[in-house]
Amino acid sequence: NTTPRANVVKTDTGYGIELAAPGFSRDEFELNVDNGRLTIGMNTEDTKDYEDRIQHREYRFASFKRSFSLPEHTNIDGIIARYEAGILYVDVPVEEKGVQRRVISVE
C-alpha cells in the first residue's frame, strides 16, 4: 500500500493533519481545496532506467491522493502546510462562529 497514513488532531485554532510521507521533497506535494474537501496528492513514478537497475525491492515511491472533509467555517485562506522529517503537516484553521440564539414570542 503506497497511500501514506494520516493523523488528524484537534488544535487550539482548528485541526492539524499529519501525513507520514518520508522520502519526498516538498515540491512534489499538491494540495487543493475544492467544495469543502482538502486533497493532498503527489504524482511520481520510478523512471524506466531506475526500474531496470533494481535487484531487490522493499519499498517504492508512487503516486497517491488523500482527501479530507473540511469542517464548517474552515478558513481556507489560512491553511498552511510544511514538510519536516518525512511528515507533511497541514494546519486547518477554523473560525469560531458564535451560536446565535433567539427567543421568539408568540403574538
Side-chain angles (χ1 to χ4, degrees):
N1 187 1
T2 60
T3 303
R5 303 280 187 206
N7 293 333
V8 177
V9 296
K10 179 81 172 107
T11 66
D12 292 339
T13 59
Y15 293 90
I17 298 170
E18 304 167 346
L19 193 77
F24 297 108
S25 72
R26 63 181 43 101
D27 298 336
E28 293 178 291
F29 292 100
E30 296 175 5
L31 287 84
N32 298 296
V33 175
D34 186 26
N35 207 18
R37 294 193 67 76
L38 169 67
T39 301
I40 303 170
M42 178 176 296
N43 191 7
T44 184
E45 296 293 334
D46 292 334
T47 64
K48 173 79 169 107
D49 179 54
Y50 180 75
E51 286 284 343
D52 290 344
R53 292 183 286 135
I54 291 178
Q55 298 298 307
H56 174 80
R57 180 184 290 269
E58 291 188 2
Y59 71 92
R60 113 179 275 134
F61 297 125
S63 301
F64 72 85
K65 200 173 269 193
R66 295 281 315 255
S67 291
F68 301 88
S69 293
L70 295 175
E72 191 175 6
H73 307 302
T74 295
N75 175 3
I76 62 171
D77 293 328
I79 295 174
I80 58 172
R82 69 187 186 288
Y83 185 60
E84 296 176 9
I87 307 290
L88 178 68
Y89 296 94
V90 182
D91 296 319
V92 180
V94 177
E95 297 173 352
E96 284 191 38
K97 296 291 181 185
V99 176
Q100 295 182 352
R101 294 185 180 162
R102 179 178 165 209
V103 175
I104 301 171
S105 43
V106 178
E107 296 182 17

